[in-house]
Amino acid sequence: MTRTVLDPAPRSYAPHVYVLNRSQRGPACAPDHQSIEDLHNWLLHEATRIDNVMLMFEEFMWRCKAADLGIDRCTLHMGTLHPRVIGFSWFWSRLDGLCDEIAADAGAVNEAAFTRNPLYKVIMEGQMIKVDLETEDGRASSPLMQELADQGFTSYVALPLSASGKTFNAMTFATTRPGGFETSDKEEIRRLIDLLALHVERHIVQRIARNVADTYLGPIAGRRVLDGEIRRGDGEAIQAVVFMADMRGFTQLADRLSGPEVTAILNAYFDRISSAVLSHGGDILKFMGDGVLAVFDQKALGEGAAATAAVKAARTALEAIEALNETPPDDLPDPDLWHPLKIGIGLHRGEVFFGNVGGEERLDFTVIGRAVNETSRVESLCKPLGRELLLTEPVRNALAGDLKTSLNEMGEHALRGVGKPVAIYSA
C-alpha cells in the first residue's frame, strides 16, 4: 500500500492516523425509506457485490438511516497484516455527510487519543462499552465522550466483532436521540451487525491478501497475481525502462558487521531507493542481496514519461543516499564501520517478459530478458567509470529537454554478452 494522504478537513484525526479515501455521496446512495427486512435483503444480496469497503459501509449506514434506526455516527475498525499499518477504519457521520477510510500506523496505539478512548478496551480486550452522554459521568469518561456530547450526541456504544490476531475488530455507534437508542433499535442493530460482520470478514481476508501481495511482489505484480495470473508462463512482453541499483563494497561491509547491523543498513538503503522508485511510478520487483530491480512500464506511463520517471527516480535515490551519509540516523551502527554508503544505478530500455517463471510448485513473478541482463552490465560500469548513474542510448533517446541535454557522453563500451559496443551516458 502506497500511502496517499488526503486533507482531513473539516474533520481532524489523531497523530499516526491518515485519511486514505473519502466519499460524500450522502443519502442519495440509499433509498429514501426502507424496512428492516429490506436492509437484511440488501446485506444478503446486493452488498455482496460491492468490493469497496468504504462504499459498502457508507451505503449501509445511509440505509440504516432510511430505516430510522437512530444511528447518527458510526465507525468500523479492522486489523490487518501490513508492514506499516496496524489497521484500517471507516468513519461515517450523518452530521457532515462524510465517510472516510483511514489507516493507523504502529504509533497510534500509544497515543492518548486511543488509550483514553473507550474503543481501546473493545479492540484490545474485547469488551462491550456503553456510555450515557446525557450524564456528567458519561461525558467525563474520556475526551472523546465530552466531544461527542458537545456535538449533541446522547448515547455511545462500542462492541467487538471477531478477533483479528491479538486484537478485536470493532464497531461504534452514537445517536443524537434524547434518551439514547431505543430498546427495539438496539435489537435490530445487533441483528444487522451479525450480517455485516460476515462482509467485514470477507473484506479482511481480501485486504490482507492484497497487502501481502503488494508487500512481497509489488502493487502491479501483486494485482496481476490476485487477478489470476498464477500459472507458470502467465505474463506478457512489455516495453519498459529497467532500473538496477547496487551497493558498493557490500561483501566487505557484511564481513565487518553483525547480521542485525547489516540488516539495519540494508533497510535504510532499501527504504530510500524504494521510496524514490515508487514515488515516481516505478514498480520494485526484487531485492537481490544488496541490489534493487525495478521497472517503469512504458504502456502505463508512456514512452517518454517512463524514461523521465526512471531518471528522476535515480537522481532522487542518489540524493537520499547522500542525505543518509551526511546525517546518519541514530538507529544505525557506528558510522565509522560503514560510512559512507556508495551505490551505482544503471538504466536501460527494451522489451522484457513480465510474468511467472520457476518450478511447478514455486513461482516468481519477475522480469527476464536481454534488457534486464544488459541493465546489469551497465550498472557494473559505474565503478570503473567513476559514476553513480549510467544509462544507455535508448533511454537517452526517450528523454527531452534538460534531462537529455545535460547528459555526459561516456563513449561506447562493450557489455558482456552483447554483440556490439553500447553508447553510455552519465546523468
Side-chain angles (χ1 to χ4, degrees):
M1 181 194 76
T2 304
R3 187 174 66 204
T4 301
V5 180
L6 302 179
D7 182 354
R11 295 177 173 178
S12 62
Y13 292 98
H16 303 285
V17 175
Y18 312 92
V19 180
L20 300 178
N21 207 348
R22 167 171 287 173
S23 179
Q24 44 191 333
R25 296 180 297 169
C29 69
D32 293 335
H33 303 283
Q34 68 173 185
S35 67
I36 298 298
E37 189 63 29
D38 291 334
L39 191 43
H40 272 262
N41 288 334
W42 178 80
L43 283 169
L44 289 171
H45 301 288
E46 292 97 320
T48 63
R49 296 189 286 272
I50 303 176
D51 292 330
N52 186 298
V53 184
M54 180 184 65
L55 298 182
M56 185 269 294
F57 176 63
E58 179 188 34
E59 184 173 344
F60 172 72
M61 294 317 307
W62 285 114
R63 285 177 175 270
C64 286
K65 191 62 185 173
D68 197 29
L69 286 174
I71 305 171
D72 297 302
R73 180 188 188 273
C74 185
T75 64
L76 169 64
H77 309 266
M78 66 185 195
T80 192
L81 181 63
H82 191 277
R84 288 188 293 107
V85 175
I86 60 170
F88 296 95
S89 299
W90 292 265
F91 171 19
W92 171 88
S93 175
R94 176 190 60 81
L95 275 61
D96 60 16
L98 303 176
C99 185
D100 285 348
E101 179 179 55
I102 57 181
D105 65 30
V109 297
N110 299 316
E111 290 291 328
F114 177 59
T115 58
R116 297 180 63 189
N117 189 322
L119 188 62
Y120 177 85
K121 291 184 178 296
V122 181
I123 292 177
M124 305 305 292
E125 301 173 13
Q127 294 187 23
M128 181 177 180
I129 304 293
K130 299 179 181 180
V131 183
D132 185 349
L133 299 176
E134 294 181 309
T135 66
E136 185 61 35
D137 287 346
R139 291 191 292 271
S141 61
S142 77
L144 176 61
M145 295 303 99
Q146 184 62 61
E147 180 183 333
L148 293 180
D150 292 343
Q151 294 173 7
F153 291 97
T154 60
S155 180
Y156 173 91
V157 179
L159 64 157
L161 302 179
S162 61
S164 177
K166 297 180 180 180
T167 61
F168 288 81
N169 303 309
M171 287 191 76
T172 74
F173 304 89
T175 184
T176 59
R177 283 182 174 175
F181 290 104
E182 298 177 2
T183 300
S184 59
D185 288 344
K186 293 178 183 178
E187 294 172 353
E188 293 295 351
I189 291 171
R190 181 72 256 187
R191 289 175 56 212
L192 292 169
I193 296 312
D194 288 341
L195 280 178
L196 183 69
L198 299 177
H199 291 281
V200 172
E201 287 297 316
R202 173 172 64 93
H203 286 293
I204 288 173
V205 172
Q206 292 174 341
R207 181 65 65 108
I208 289 176
R210 287 198 300 270
N211 291 343
V212 172
D214 287 354
T215 299
Y216 287 94
L217 298 176
I220 297 176
R223 184 170 61 249
R224 295 176 68 159
V225 168
L226 290 177
D227 284 344
E229 291 188 28
I230 60 173
R231 293 183 297 275
R232 186 167 55 174
D234 279 352
E236 65 176 326
I238 65 171
Q239 293 290 328
V241 177
V242 183
F243 173 112
M244 198 168 289
D246 187 68
M247 186 190 299
R248 298 282 171 259
F250 176 72
T251 301
Q252 293 79 4
L253 189 71
D255 288 340
R256 293 196 303 271
L257 301 177
S258 67
E261 290 174 328
V262 173
T263 299
I265 291 173
L266 276 177
N267 284 338
Y269 157 69
F270 285 142
D271 185 49
R272 286 152 179 80
I273 302 295
S274 60
S275 294
V277 170
L278 294 173
S279 66
H280 287 87
D283 192 32
I284 295 175
L285 298 179
K286 203 177 294 293
F287 296 108
M288 309 167 293
D290 61 326
V292 180
L293 172 63
V295 292
F296 293 80
D297 186 355
Q298 291 185 180
K299 182 179 179 180
L301 300 174
E303 181 177 331
T308 297
V311 172
K312 289 183 175 180
R315 288 181 170 177
T316 299
L318 292 173
E319 291 169 359
I321 295 299
E322 182 179 354
L324 173 66
N325 287 327
E326 291 178 354
T327 311
D330 294 336
D331 58 353
L332 290 185
D334 183 349
D336 290 340
L337 299 176
W338 59 269
H339 187 275
L341 286 185
K342 296 183 178 180
I343 71 169
I345 299 176
L347 303 176
H348 182 46
R349 185 167 68 95
E351 183 179 271
V352 296
F353 176 77
F354 188 40
N356 286 305
V357 297
E360 290 184 358
E361 300 296 331
R362 176 62 174 89
L363 297 173
D364 188 15
F365 205 101
T366 187
V367 290
I368 58 173
R370 287 184 53 189
V372 178
N373 299 333
E374 291 170 11
T375 306
S376 176
R377 309 287 189 265
V378 172
E379 187 279 321
S380 67
L381 291 174
C382 288
K383 184 175 181 179
L385 294 181
R387 302 287 179 165
E388 293 180 309
L389 172 57
L390 296 177
L391 54 92
T392 61
E393 192 163 30
V395 179
R396 174 185 176 275
N397 291 341
L399 298 173
D402 292 342
L403 276 183
K404 185 173 186 177
T405 58
S406 63
L407 298 177
N408 298 309
E409 295 186 24
M410 303 299 294
E412 293 188 341
H413 295 266
L415 303 180
R416 181 165 56 87
V418 179
K420 60 180 181 180
V422 175
I424 301 294
Y425 300 82
S426 68

